[in-house]
Amino acid sequence: MAAGRTQRRGKGRGPGRPPASSSATIHEAALELFLERGYGAVSVDDIARRAGVSRGTVFSYCESKADALWVALDAAIARAGDALEAAQGDGAGRERGALDALVEAIVAAVEPWGRTPPVALRDARAMEAEAALRDGAPARLQPLVERAALALALERDALPESPAAAVAPVAIVAAACAALAAWALEPGRPEASVAVRTAIEPLAAASRMHNDPRA
């Protein structure tokens, strides 16, 4: 399998790559290696050699090789968190409701991808990184879930950890992740924002209906 990956990528930059210390260079080197050798077979030292930098320089940008795998996904999570925070501070956003704000935040977060999945999603299987992504997702997504649960708790006069506030954000974020994983493998994929909206809007609507005392 490793040989097949190497042949597919072919002319990856080798140890002779000129020295560089940019985050983009290090992350690109890591993704190349994950695809060539498999995620589990790559060490931080391997990434440093491929990038032409010291081990310490790699650690100045990545706490672990998982950070290199997650870089594009972490950026999207950060965009979602920023969008949700902005909505909570905006009158129109508060009027729209916490669940709608979460949906719109996630949709906005993946809009920059268009129809082009991040390498970590598109090539997760080839990188043998599916388990690393699955196992790392809860901790990386937890701040976004907690922020949404707090907003929903305030809206519904409930505790953030109560089912009325905690369940819907977890379900929506999990559904978004599943939808994006499937989207990344679709040959004729739509825009990422369309795929994720289609998956999560019904969940938000169902939660609103369930908790509406008038329903």
Side-chain angles (χ1 to χ4, degrees):
M1 180 174 282
R5 283 194 298 270
T6 303
Q7 183 177 9
R8 197 171 87 184
R9 289 290 289 191
K11 302 177 181 178
R13 297 183 184 91
R17 173 184 291 189
S21 59
S22 72
S23 174
T25 298
I26 291 168
H27 291 140
E28 180 185 352
L31 291 172
E32 285 178 356
L33 287 168
F34 296 157
L35 192 53
E36 290 170 9
R37 303 181 189 175
Y39 178 79
V42 176
S43 69
V44 170
D45 286 334
D46 294 330
I47 296 169
R49 281 191 293 270
R50 174 62 63 91
V53 300
S54 69
R55 193 170 191 268
T57 300
V58 174
F59 280 121
S60 70
Y61 291 100
C62 305
E63 291 184 6
S64 68
K65 67 179 183 179
D67 286 349
L69 178 67
W70 273 86
V71 60
L73 308 179
D74 282 341
I77 294 169
R79 289 194 295 269
D82 290 345
L84 188 56
E85 183 177 5
Q88 291 166 358
D90 176 67
R94 290 194 300 272
E95 180 66 24
R96 189 168 57 219
L99 291 181
D100 282 344
L102 178 59
V103 169
E104 296 305 322
I106 295 172
V107 168
V110 301
E111 277 180 351
W113 295 349
R115 290 184 170 86
T116 305
V119 173
L121 279 184
R122 185 193 66 205
D123 294 331
R125 181 172 299 175
M127 291 178 176
E128 299 171 3
E130 291 172 303
L133 290 173
R134 182 180 62 248
D135 295 345
R140 291 174 185 269
L141 291 163
Q142 189 61 27
L144 178 64
V145 170
E146 289 179 352
R147 179 174 289 173
L150 179 59
L152 194 57
L154 293 172
E155 185 177 286
R156 293 180 174 176
D157 193 22
L159 294 174
E161 63 272 20
S162 68
V167 171
V170 170
I172 289 170
V173 170
C177 292
L180 290 168
W183 162 82
L185 300 179
E186 291 181 33
R189 66 183 70 87
E191 299 278 333
S193 57
V194 172
V196 78
R197 184 185 293 280
T198 300
I200 64 179
E201 273 192 338
L203 291 175
S207 179
R208 283 194 302 271
M209 184 177 297
H210 179 75
N211 285 276
D212 187 345
R214 297 168 299 178

